[in-house]
Amino acid sequence: MTLNFSLGEQPSSDLLADAEQYYESTVSDLLRTINALKAGEFEASKAMPQTVRDLRLALDLVHSERGRVEKLRKQVAGAVGTGTLDLHAARDEIGRRLACLRDASAG
C-alpha cells in the first residue's frame, strides 16, 4: 500500500478495523472452547491448539497494523522521534561549532 501524502491521501484504518474484528472473533472462539471444556465437552479440546494459534496471529496482526497506522499518523503530522526540540542543546551545539570556526580562522 502506497500513499501520496502530498496529494492529501490519508491512511486507511480499514485494515486495523479488520484486524481488530478478527482478534475479537478469535477471542470469542477461545472463550467458547474454554466454556465447553468447563462443561465437560472434552471434544472441544481438539480445536484449542488451532484457536490459540489463530489468537496469536490475530494479536500480531492487530499490533502490526496499529504500529503502521501510528507511523503514518506521525509522518502526516511531521513528527519525528520524540517530537520535541531541545533548544538548549541546539544553542550549545551552535556555540561549539562557532568556537571551532573561530579557532580554525585564528590558526
Side-chain angles (χ1 to χ4, degrees), residues 1-13 68-69 72-73 75-76:
M1 176 165 145
T2 314
L3 296 173
N4 188 342
F5 293 111
S6 62
L7 296 177
E9 292 182 31
Q10 294 297 317
S12 172
S13 61
R68 287 182 186 141
V69 168
L72 289 172
R73 283 185 183 141
Q75 285 177 349
V76 169

Side-chain angles (χ1 to χ4, degrees), residues 16 19 23 57-69:
L16 180 58
Y23 176 74
L57 177 67
L59 187 58
D60 287 344
L61 184 60
V62 168
H63 284 295
S64 173
E65 290 305 318
R66 281 187 178 160
R68 287 182 186 141
V69 168

Side-chain angles (χ1 to χ4, degrees), residues 54-106:
D54 289 346
L55 183 59
R56 283 187 185 141
L57 177 67
L59 187 58
D60 287 344
L61 184 60
V62 168
H63 284 295
S64 173
E65 290 305 318
R66 281 187 178 160
R68 287 182 186 141
V69 168
E70 187 60 32
K71 182 179 176 183
L72 289 172
R73 283 185 183 141
K74 285 181 180 179
Q75 285 177 349
V76 169
V80 177
T82 62
T84 61
L85 180 61
D86 187 351
L87 296 177
H88 295 290
R91 184 189 65 222
D92 293 343
E93 179 65 18
I94 290 169
R96 186 187 68 74
R97 290 182 183 194
L98 287 172
C100 287
L101 287 172
R102 276 192 296 270
D103 291 344
S105 66

